[in-house]
Amino acid sequence: MIGVAVLGSTGSVGVSTLDVLARHPARFRVVALTAYRDIDRLYEQCRVHGPEYAVVVDRAAAERLDRRLRSDGVEVEVLGGEEALNTVARLAQVDYVMAAIVGAAGLPPTLAAARAGKRVMLANKEALVMSGRILMDAVRDSGAELLPIDSEHNAVFQCMPPDFERGLSEVGVVRILLTASGGPCRNMAAPELASVTPELACAHPNWSMGRKISVDSATMMNKGLEVIEACWLFNIKPSQVQVVIHPQSLVHSMVQYADGSVLAQMGNPDMRTPIAHALAWPDRIDSGVAALDIFAVGQLDFERPDLARFPCLRLAYEALERGGTAPAVLNAANEVAVQSFLDRRLAFTAIPQVIEKTMQSLATQEAGSLEVIHEADRQAREVAGRLVGVGAKKGYA
Ligand code: NDP
Ligand code: MG
């Protein structure tokens, strides 16, 4: 039996992961589940999946969950606080760790899992954006396995030859074509974008996801973060990662080879496919996703992205070019701006403005240690927080 810890089990990816795990009770055992504070959902998950541990970062909520489980006779050890995330990621009885916490908060337990030599199934792209070098080195040094859950990167992984780590030019890979749906604002004219609401931004046409990544998809920062993610995962240059708008979200990405071949991975847009792939790799298991009906699809469209209407993508390429702490600064400023937008304190079109100004006001350092990265993250949150405050007063457009 393979022991699995699901970090961020109460979120969108977490729930999909538990759905796949429950289809294979003879193969996987749920060892640990974690939430930030949604104890109602975590309580239900404890009853259904019977983990050994449940972590709740909010300590008061952890105590409430503990009382409730005890009084109902459900035997689960409840741990509170941030450090407990690292504890469960390192447990000896945990073989696989699903890293599905949203944002920078996911970095420490993801790194803990990598350092402990686990199979790390990475949904938390922000961890790689912030500290790609450190995370990739940790994976290599400990002999951990890193399998991408992000649908595009999982698709690329599936289209790569098994020995791609020898070097992409060695194995004849020329380019990655990273597909993007374009999000709910794909066809909006620039003036319309200023009045996009959180409801509209979160209504993704093809995918059902958490609120932060939904806004990132609407601004196309999600694709920007994914370009950075692809560079680390596949050791490829930014100029070899081409973003392709593909509104149907059925081709999840492609790899182009020196002989003219382009390999694509296709499927219905449902995160249970990449999750099942990473859980079973190199085998294949049932994910619960319906087979793709190619005749019902009929047509596939591909377009170039519009960097003028969606400057977040340009900013991500800039951060990659600067290197060092620049992607961590981009990520932190984005998290602050997106939260303010969701709180209705910032206009949709001000999100890239806050990020660009934050990037301009902080010098790039070498990202040699976690301390340096955390300091860059802290400073970027401070600067972006101030900019958001000014923006809210002036009514940023
Ligand atoms: P959700 O917002 O749905 O879930 C986030 C999870 O993280 C919840 O379990 C939440 O707990 C927990 N969490 C939030 N803040 C903290 C914190 N500070 N410390 C510890 N735990 C925390 O997010 P998604 O599932 O949509 O996304 C998760 C990650 O996967 C993101 O990095 C996203 O970019 C990536 N991803 C998601 C995809 C999707 O389809 N949703 C696709 C590809 C990548 P609680 O419920 O208690 O708040
Ligand atoms: Mg994705």
Side-chain angles (χ1 to χ4, degrees):
M1 286 280 263
I2 295 168
V4 184
V6 184
L7 309 179
S9 65
T10 50
S12 166
V13 172
V15 167
S16 294
T17 304
L18 289 175
D19 180 284
V20 178
L21 289 171
R23 292 168 193 274
H24 305 280
R27 191 168 181 135
F28 303 109
R29 183 170 69 93
V30 177
V31 177
L33 299 175
T34 85
Y36 182 68
R37 65 158 80 94
D38 185 354
I39 53 170
D40 290 337
R41 188 164 250 180
L42 193 55
Y43 172 84
E44 284 311 319
Q45 293 182 338
C46 286
R47 289 196 76 119
V48 174
H49 301 278
E52 280 174 53
Y53 295 90
V55 174
V56 187
V57 172
D58 180 320
R59 287 178 191 275
E63 281 173 26
R64 287 200 300 280
L65 177 69
D66 190 35
R67 281 197 297 274
R68 211 164 135 195
L69 288 167
R70 275 172 200 274
S71 75
D72 293 353
V74 186
E75 271 182 46
V76 177
E77 185 160 340
V78 178
L79 306 174
E82 252 167 42
E83 183 51 36
L85 298 170
N86 304 338
T87 306
V88 296
R90 287 193 285 249
L91 287 170
Q93 64 273 44
V94 165
D95 304 293
Y96 294 4
V97 174
M98 168 55 76
I101 289 172
V102 62
L107 173 58
T110 305
L111 197 55
R115 286 182 172 152
K118 309 296 186 192
R119 172 175 293 196
V120 181
M121 303 182 288
L122 186 73
N124 178 219
K125 63 191 88 185
E126 295 91 343
L128 207 50
V129 168
M130 290 174 73
S131 66
R133 167 60 50 224
I134 292 173
L135 192 54
M136 295 308 287
D137 284 353
V139 167
R140 191 198 52 217
D141 294 346
S142 71
E145 289 172 318
L146 185 59
L147 290 171
I149 294 298
D150 213 347
S151 58
E152 296 76 4
H153 306 74
N154 183 270
V156 169
F157 185 85
Q158 293 194 45
C159 297
M160 284 282 181
D163 57 344
F164 74 87
E165 278 165 340
R166 281 203 288 138
L168 295 189
S169 56
E170 297 290 309
V171 295
V173 168
V174 176
R175 275 208 301 183
I176 288 175
L177 300 167
L178 206 64
T179 52
S181 68
C185 308
R186 175 172 65 95
N187 288 323
M188 285 188 184
E192 266 180 276
L193 287 173
S195 54
V196 167
T197 59
E199 289 72 23
L200 197 150
C202 289
H204 196 279
N206 308 333
W207 296 95
S208 152
M209 309 183 286
R211 284 163 68 78
K212 190 260 177 182
I213 184 176
S214 295
V215 176
D216 285 348
S217 297
T219 60
M220 290 206 66
M221 179 54 93
N222 183 48
K223 213 46 56 180
L225 299 177
E226 289 184 359
V227 170
I228 302 175
E229 187 185 8
C231 289
W232 285 114
L233 283 172
F234 302 108
N235 195 13
I236 193 166
K237 292 197 208 78
S239 59
Q240 292 173 287
V241 183
Q242 172 68 56
V243 173
V244 181
I245 304 291
H246 166 51
Q248 291 92 354
S249 295
L250 296 170
V251 173
H252 299 306
S253 280
M254 299 171 260
V255 174
Q256 190 174 335
Y257 285 84
D259 61 3
S261 299
V262 174
L263 299 193
Q265 186 263 351
M266 296 177 68
N268 284 316
D270 187 320
M271 288 306 291
R272 290 176 301 172
T273 295
I275 291 166
H277 172 266
L279 279 169
W281 183 81
D283 297 345
R284 299 274 178 170
I285 54 172
D286 170 42
S287 64
V289 178
L292 180 64
D293 180 351
I294 205 87
F295 298 108
V297 173
Q299 183 179 335
L300 299 172
D301 296 301
F302 301 101
E303 301 161 15
R304 285 187 189 280
D306 180 348
L307 297 193
R309 274 187 311 135
F310 297 101
C312 284
L313 188 52
R314 169 179 59 79
L315 292 172
Y317 273 104
E318 276 175 30
L320 249 182
E321 200 167 303
R322 280 210 217 172
T325 50
V329 167
L330 169 97
N331 177 67
N334 181 55
E335 286 191 28
V336 170
V338 168
Q339 191 55 55
S340 307
F341 167 71
L342 285 170
D343 294 342
R344 296 176 203 282
R345 291 189 292 122
L346 194 73
F348 182 75
T349 37
I351 296 173
Q353 295 174 8
V354 167
I355 300 165
E356 185 154 32
K357 285 188 181 153
T358 305
M359 284 172 66
Q360 281 164 354
S361 66
L362 292 173
T364 300
Q365 316 277 322
E366 210 179 302
S369 71
L370 267 191
E371 289 68 41
V372 172
I373 290 164
H374 279 136
E375 180 56 18
D377 174 272
R378 192 194 61 74
Q379 288 181 9
R381 282 171 203 272
E382 201 177 286
V383 173
R386 271 204 304 274
L387 289 166
V388 162
V390 174
K393 268 191 227 119
K394 276 202 208 153
Y396 253 133

